[in-house]
Amino acid sequence: MSTQSIKKKQVSWQTMQGLSAFWFFVSRPDIESIFTLIGISMVLIGFGISPLYIKDKSVSVYIVATIMVALGAGIGGLIIGELLERLFAETPTDIADSWVAGTTLICSSLGILAWIFIVLKISPITRPPLIAITLFAIAGVYSLIYGVLSVKTVLLDDTQITSAWGEGIAFIFNGCAMIVWTHLVTRKMSIENSKIFVICLMIAGVATVLVGIAGVLDAIF
């Protein structure tokens, strides 16, 4: 393998790691459309494939990356099911009111936790990125719990299990994870046009936090 090829792969991995903050803009607790499902599926598959090009990756990284791709493909299956339902069902169920939304959130949250494992195994970790990874993990775990409760709510028809404030908190965690990751990891990327990525991700993170705060306040008052 040529030196230029190795450098390209290193830049590609650095870019994927830096853009990890985008996870939480796509992995939303309010999954309402097929387009959101498509976005989550593509992100899972894309991020899952990226570590496979890293030289000397461990077997565990390969397995976890494959799991991410499988999760993305699973959501792809849900997309096909939703499209078929809209074609043949007289009254198709809204995604937000079905188990599909919760299941998708579970898959994306598991993908986030899997991605954290891959980053820890591949990248050199110093204190600032470790702080970002910790917040990343907290947001991922909360989204996973919220997704499980959402599925349970639909299956048991119990509206008391989840609530608007719970969704708002998920948005707040997601937004904070985006902001911190962008500041401590994405901002350090030594690639062309990285400032544009940083600005866009910061704006998206702040907007996500504001949406969460508005949701919590609306639920309380």
Side-chain angles (χ1 to χ4, degrees):
M1 183 181 294
S2 66
T3 304
Q4 185 177 3
S5 178
I6 293 174
K7 288 182 178 179
K8 284 183 178 179
K9 290 184 178 181
Q10 289 174 341
V11 170
S12 177
W13 168 248
Q14 186 187 40
T15 302
M16 295 301 289
Q17 183 182 346
L19 295 181
S20 298
F22 185 70
W23 267 103
F24 289 108
F25 187 71
V26 177
S27 180
R28 305 166 61 89
D30 61 337
I31 300 170
E32 299 178 348
S33 73
I34 288 180
F35 294 107
T36 304
L37 296 179
I38 293 173
I40 295 173
S41 177
M42 292 177 63
V43 167
L44 271 169
I45 293 173
F47 276 87
I49 290 175
S50 63
L52 300 180
Y53 293 97
I54 302 297
K55 186 180 180 182
D56 299 328
K57 58 183 175 293
S58 64
V59 175
S60 59
V61 168
Y62 181 87
I63 293 173
V64 174
T66 304
I67 291 173
M68 289 180 64
V69 174
L71 290 171
I75 295 175
L78 295 178
I79 295 170
I80 295 173
E82 285 295 315
L83 290 173
L84 291 175
E85 183 182 10
R86 277 156 175 69
L87 285 174
F88 299 106
E90 294 182 1
T91 55
T93 306
D94 290 336
I95 293 176
D97 300 325
S98 70
W99 59 271
V100 172
T103 303
T104 302
L105 186 58
I106 291 172
C107 290
S108 62
S109 301
L110 289 174
I112 289 170
L113 298 177
W115 181 252
I116 291 173
F117 174 84
I118 292 173
V119 171
L120 289 172
K121 292 291 287 186
I122 294 179
S123 303
I125 301 300
T126 58
R127 186 174 180 181
L130 190 59
I131 295 173
I133 288 172
T134 301
L135 187 55
F136 218 70
I138 292 172
V141 169
Y142 184 88
S143 292
L144 176 61
I145 294 172
Y146 185 81
V148 171
L149 293 179
S150 296
V151 172
K152 190 176 181 182
T153 296
V154 174
L155 296 180
L156 299 182
D157 195 23
D158 186 356
T159 57
Q160 300 301 316
I161 295 178
T162 57
S163 61
W165 66 264
E167 182 178 296
I169 292 177
F171 271 110
I172 292 173
F173 276 138
N174 286 8
C176 289
M178 289 178 69
I179 293 170
V180 174
W181 188 277
T182 301
H183 178 70
L184 296 178
V185 180
T186 310
R187 194 168 58 90
K188 307 296 184 181
M189 290 192 310
S190 57
I191 63 172
E192 189 176 356
N193 297 325
S194 62
K195 290 184 179 179
I196 297 176
F197 293 140
V198 170
I199 292 172
C200 291
L201 289 171
M202 278 291 189
I203 292 173
V206 172
T208 302
V209 171
L210 293 177
V211 169
I213 292 174
V216 172
L217 293 177
D218 183 63
I220 293 176
F221 300 106

